[in-house]
């Protein structure tokens, strides 16, 4: 039996990975699909002022919102799956859960980015690749937005120009 772990955040890109998993399941019905949503930790300040029960309810509600599109897709296709929710750093939680579940593959979808954006942006995908020895299959999702593809390089260019002006003065 092949076990797949799919990090799901409710985005269109994570649905691309779920669509890919549907194809894998159709090829091999012995495939076990596990969805994982990772919620960030609440700041200490907020945690002091919110009860543990309320924090857990909020996390669970947000996780359900993120998992809903993937669940609906799998339910509509009649494919069995398990859904999990973890708290903490996304990359570390994905790798830990994949090890705990003894997954054969982490199936992750990522946006199409150019080399400069990949270099500058801290990528969860890159961190997962660095942290795990479990095979990672990357599914190419949708393109990055115009703001990301133009804004990040423009911001870097302005920053470099500003540094040059400071050095030359």
């Amino acid at each position: 039996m092949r076990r797949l772990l799919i990090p799901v955040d409710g985005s269109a890109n994570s649905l691309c990975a779920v669509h890919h998993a549907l194809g894998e399941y159709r090829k091999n019905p012995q495939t076990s699909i596990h969805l994982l949503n990772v919620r960030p930790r609440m700041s200490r300040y907020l945690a002091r002022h919110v009860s543990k029960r309320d924090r857990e309810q909020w996390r669970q509600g947000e996780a359900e919102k993120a998992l809903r599109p993937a669940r609906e897709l799998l339910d509509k296709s009649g494919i069995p799956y398990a859904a999990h929710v973890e708290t903490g750093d996304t990359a570390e939680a994905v790798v830990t859960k994949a090890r705990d579940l003894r997954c054969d593959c982490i199936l992750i979808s990522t946006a199409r980015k150019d080399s400069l954006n990949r270099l500058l942006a801290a990528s969860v995908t890159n961190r997962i690749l660095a942290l795990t020895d479990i095979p990672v299959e990357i599914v190419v999702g949708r393109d990055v937005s115009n703001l990301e593809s133009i804004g990040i390089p423009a911001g870097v260019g302005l920053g470099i120009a500003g540094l040059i002006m400071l050095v030359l003065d």
Side-chain angles (χ1 to χ4, degrees), residues 63-80:
E64 288 303 319
K65 284 182 204 174
L67 288 165
R68 186 176 300 125
R71 284 179 185 253
E72 288 173 355
L73 181 62
L74 291 168
D75 288 340
K76 188 169 64 173
S77 301
I79 295 176

Side-chain angles (χ1 to χ4, degrees), residues 12 31 97 112 136:
T31 302
K97 194 64 170 181
R112 294 179 181 142
V136 177

Side-chain angles (χ1 to χ4, degrees), residues 20-78:
H20 186 79
L22 290 173
E24 293 293 316
Y25 183 84
R26 287 185 183 114
K27 289 178 197 170
N28 180 5
Q30 297 299 316
T31 302
S32 173
I33 298 174
H34 295 269
L35 304 176
L36 174 64
N37 179 256
V38 182
R39 307 302 317 155
R41 284 195 172 87
M42 193 174 279
S43 73
R44 286 183 185 172
Y45 176 78
L46 287 176
R48 274 188 253 149
H49 300 294
V50 178
S51 72
K52 183 176 181 177
R53 192 180 112 245
D54 288 343
R55 285 191 310 249
E56 289 302 316
Q57 286 178 340
W58 178 78
R59 274 192 199 115
Q60 195 62 35
E62 292 298 306
E64 288 303 319
K65 284 182 204 174
L67 288 165
R68 186 176 300 125
R71 284 179 185 253
E72 288 173 355
L73 181 62
L74 291 168
D75 288 340
K76 188 169 64 173
S77 301

Side-chain angles (χ1 to χ4, degrees), residues 11 76 89 139:
S11 69
K76 188 169 64 173
D89 177 70
V139 178

Side-chain angles (χ1 to χ4, degrees), residues 113-121 149 152-154 156:
K113 295 180 183 178
D114 60 29
S115 300
L116 181 60
N117 281 337
R118 283 227 182 267
L119 178 68
L120 297 176
S149 63
I152 293 174
V156 171

